[in-house]
Amino acid sequence: MAGIGKTTIAKALYNQISSNFDVKKFVPNIKGRMKDSVTLKQVLRYFLGEKVKRKVLLILDNVRSERELEVLPVTLECFGPGSIIIITTRQVKHDRFHGIGVNHIYRVKEMDYNECVELFSWTAFKKVTPERSFSRLINYAIEYCDGLPFALVAIGSVLLERSIEEWESVLQRLESSGGA
């Protein structure tokens, strides 16, 4: 599902574990990089061109088709022991990844209501607990965003440090425009 937080999770994981690898690369928006195949080939040449196999962390973000994976001459065997390849996707079925050595698939779950409130509150109020006087509007915003983290953060940041009247106005405009 778009906006559920796949890229955010991959970036957070990269930031947390990248210091444990000899070579690390986060390649955002593979679809866009595929158009610029020279850049992607340079990235892969950097990984594959070394004589000594090194411990590599490679994150390929936003893979949208099986074809994008087929043109990548990458398997875990290309790298040294302990290497990790992470792929974020919403369209490629998990059985398509077996050829590159995938040994685990993590499906991002949708946030529950309380998690939505907490994320929205951190964004709109800069604290974990929302203002009670905003409860009705918070519920409306969460419902409007359909619980998607990206939308909650986007709308929450627009509403930061605004009055109830400003919240009502912004949310009313969003509803009448038909888009987040």
Side-chain angles (χ1 to χ4, degrees), residues 46-101:
Y46 176 71
F47 285 128
L48 301 173
E50 298 190 16
K51 305 249 188 266
V52 178
K53 288 192 175 184
R54 300 179 76 187
K55 186 175 174 183
V56 171
L57 171 62
L58 175 60
I59 299 181
L60 305 173
D61 185 42
N62 201 17
V63 173
R64 296 189 180 199
S65 73
E66 184 178 348
R67 183 187 170 288
E68 290 173 358
L69 291 175
E70 288 172 353
V71 300
L72 298 176
V74 175
T75 65
L76 277 174
E77 291 77 33
C78 298
F79 309 135
S83 293
I84 297 176
I85 299 172
I86 296 174
I87 298 169
T88 68
T89 185
R90 62 180 158 166
Q91 296 180 350
V92 180
K93 293 184 178 161
H94 70 278
D95 60 340
R96 307 286 191 220
F97 298 116
H98 292 297
I100 61 170

Side-chain angles (χ1 to χ4, degrees), residues 6-7 9-15 17-18 24-30 40 43 47 56-63 84-88:
K6 295 176 296 296
T7 298
I9 291 169
K11 283 181 183 175
L13 185 61
Y14 178 87
N15 290 335
I17 68 171
S18 63
K24 52 231 168 216
K25 183 68 177 174
F26 186 103
V27 184
N29 193 15
I30 285 293
L40 188 56
V43 168
F47 285 128
V56 171
L57 171 62
L58 175 60
I59 299 181
L60 305 173
D61 185 42
N62 201 17
V63 173
I84 297 176
I85 299 172
I86 296 174
I87 298 169
T88 68

Side-chain angles (χ1 to χ4, degrees), residues 28-40:
N29 193 15
I30 285 293
K31 184 177 182 181
R33 300 283 180 173
M34 293 304 293
K35 293 175 186 170
D36 184 10
S37 60
V38 172
T39 303
L40 188 56

